[in-house]
Amino acid sequence: MKLGHHIYILPSFSLPTYSCIRSFPPSPINLNLSFPVRKRATIRSMSDSIVVPQRRSLYPPIEPYNNGILKVSDTHTLYWEQSGNPDGHPVVFLHGGPGGGTSPNNRRFFDPEFYRIVLFDQRGAGKSTPHACLEENTTWDLVNDIEKLREHLKIPEWQVFGGSWGSTLALTYSQSHPDKVTGLVLRGIFLIRKKEIDWFYEGGAAAIYPDAWEEFRDLIPENERGSLVDAYHKRLNSDDLETQYAAARAWTKWEMMTAHLLPNDGNIQKAEDDKFSLAFARIENHYFVNKAFFTSDSYLLENIDKIRHIKTTIVQGRYDVVCPMMSAWDLHKAWPEADLKIVGDAGHSANEPGIAAELVVANEKMKALVG
């Protein structure tokens, strides 16, 4: 049902199975035949009459056709990979956290016959090095890294896809380089304003998850609970590695326990992986303490005019506790030209069925807009 201007309230559903959709094993042969090289994409209006594609399911798993390491500073190197069609329309996937890293499942939101799918691990995350490093690790460093990767891969422009912190970075990059962006697909909007940090890390979300909150809160002595973000910052940067690990596990578990509408044990178990948790918690906390290195609390909303012309879909879970819907709504109010899809039976995670389906649909719609 469509309400008002570009707002869609989406009902509950089960993902259908499409036996008629052809899948194929990736190889250098079949990945190079389907599409000519695209020198410049032309995006038609999102308000044009476009038949919404029927596909709502993730694409089959695929492997990268190449990957590499890009040195972006004297300190940092980034892991990157490409999958799908080498001659297809480029799309870059920006992962969450910051510090979360990429995973093979991230490739499955995109049609591998149409898209040239670029994934990379941001500074200190995943396979990038040094692991969990906070030195030279700011939002503006990451924006510059995206440009360095684009130039390294000889991509003139690309679609940008990001969720949670990935939506923050996608907005920041697009506002810095609007001429390099053919379209945006955003999920779980995070604008890193004080009220968003306070909601999740200073007690707001405790009203919904009091049991999980107590585990997160109780690592910190009562006399340091005036700012849990600052108290965790102290421990995540301790000289004692075990103190860092303990804080990282608690920080990560709090987010993993709240990321799905229905508890996801596999997601929660990620908090027990000390290597993952350390990067996830240290880098997230570093960015939050530094207010994402923005010059104002509403920096991204204040700069919407720079990207107002870019065709965009926003997918937001109604019951997202990590990045509550108020942020997506504020973005929609500032940017009514973007399509807002509200998934009525979902929380935060991109892997929840309703959100995954709408992300696939958004990418399918972008295909129809690229001429």
Side-chain angles (χ1 to χ4, degrees):
M1 177 171 62
K2 182 174 179 180
L3 303 176
H5 186 71
H6 297 311
I7 307 174
Y8 300 82
I9 311 296
L10 301 161
S12 302
F13 57 85
S14 297
L15 289 176
T17 300
Y18 290 90
S19 59
C20 62
I21 294 179
R22 182 171 66 91
S23 63
F24 61 95
S27 74
I29 298 175
N30 61 26
L31 284 175
N32 278 283
L33 296 179
S34 299
F35 289 88
V37 174
R38 299 173 181 273
K39 294 184 179 179
R40 176 79 187 175
T42 302
I43 305 295
R44 299 192 296 272
S45 171
M46 287 285 269
S47 60
D48 288 351
S49 296
I50 297 172
V51 177
V52 178
Q54 294 303 302
R55 185 182 183 101
R56 302 180 67 86
S57 57
L58 294 173
Y59 282 89
I62 56 172
E63 294 299 318
Y65 62 79
N66 74 350
N67 57 41
I69 299 295
L70 177 65
K71 187 173 180 62
V72 291
S73 78
D74 290 341
T75 302
H76 289 273
T77 65
L78 304 185
Y79 167 81
W80 60 266
E81 65 174 52
Q82 297 188 92
S83 57
N85 180 0
D87 296 326
H89 184 70
V91 58
V92 60
F93 179 97
L94 303 182
H95 67 69
T102 58
S103 69
N105 205 53
N106 300 149
R107 307 167 193 144
R108 300 182 60 197
F109 295 107
F110 311 98
D111 179 351
E113 294 193 36
F114 182 87
Y115 280 111
R116 177 182 174 184
I117 307 159
V118 179
L119 273 61
F120 76 98
D121 292 330
Q122 297 158 29
R123 294 190 180 202
K127 299 176 184 177
S128 294
T129 60
H131 183 71
C133 178
L134 306 183
E135 181 184 346
E136 298 175 12
N137 198 336
T138 74
T139 305
W140 305 110
D141 289 318
L142 301 189
V143 167
N144 291 336
D145 290 350
I146 297 170
E147 272 297 275
K148 289 175 183 176
L149 180 60
R150 183 187 63 78
E151 292 170 356
H152 176 72
L153 297 177
K154 297 180 171 55
I155 294 173
E157 59 185 2
W158 47 11
Q159 180 181 319
V160 179
F161 180 109
S164 194
W165 160 256
S167 76
T168 318
L169 186 55
L171 289 166
T172 311
Y173 171 76
S174 299
Q175 290 175 2
S176 301
H177 301 281
D179 58 320
K180 306 305 181 187
V181 180
T182 63
L184 284 163
V185 176
L186 308 173
R187 186 267 310 168
I189 299 302
F190 187 30
L191 304 176
I192 309 199
R193 296 171 295 176
K194 184 179 185 300
K195 67 180 181 180
E196 297 169 66
I197 300 298
D198 287 351
W199 158 260
F200 193 64
Y201 292 105
E202 302 295 350
I208 301 172
Y209 288 95
D211 47 349
W213 171 256
E214 287 189 4
E215 287 189 55
F216 174 72
R217 180 199 65 194
D218 289 353
L219 184 78
I220 306 301
E222 287 189 24
N223 64 347
E224 292 186 58
R225 292 179 188 171
S227 172
L228 291 174
V229 172
D230 288 343
Y232 268 91
H233 182 76
K234 175 182 175 182
R235 288 157 178 80
L236 290 166
N237 291 277
S238 169
D239 292 335
D240 179 60
L241 188 58
E242 286 307 315
T243 298
Q244 289 189 34
Y245 281 144
R249 286 191 292 268
W251 178 283
T252 304
K253 186 175 182 180
W254 164 239
E255 183 161 338
M256 297 304 157
M257 289 185 73
T258 55
H260 289 73
L261 181 62
L262 300 176
N264 183 295
D265 290 339
N267 203 51
I268 295 168
Q269 286 300 313
K270 290 168 70 174
E272 300 304 315
D273 179 340
D274 283 341
K275 182 178 180 181
F276 171 82
S277 289
L278 190 64
F280 186 77
R282 287 193 83 218
I283 298 173
E284 272 199 346
N285 179 274
H286 167 69
Y287 274 71
F288 301 164
V289 164
N290 287 286
K291 302 177 176 58
F293 306 91
F294 291 151
T295 54
S296 66
D297 193 50
S298 295
Y299 178 86
L300 294 175
L301 294 177
E302 292 164 2
N303 286 277
I304 285 298
D305 281 347
K306 296 178 180 178
I307 57 173
R308 194 174 298 280
H309 63 287
I310 297 176
K311 311 312 171 190
T312 300
T313 297
I314 300 164
V315 177
Q316 179 69 38
R318 167 70 74 180
Y319 302 108
D320 188 335
V321 174
V322 180
C323 296
M325 192 179 137
M326 64 178 176
S327 298
W329 189 252
D330 289 346
L331 182 60
H332 162 70
K333 298 293 284 186
W335 194 9
E337 297 85 358
D339 286 345
L340 172 61
K341 309 284 187 178
I342 301 169
V343 183
D345 59 350
H348 180 68
S349 175
N351 297 318
E352 294 185 75
I355 291 181
E358 288 307 316
L359 292 173
V360 171
V361 168
N363 286 327
E364 294 295 294
K365 191 172 183 179
M366 285 291 178
K367 286 166 51 177
L369 292 170
V370 176

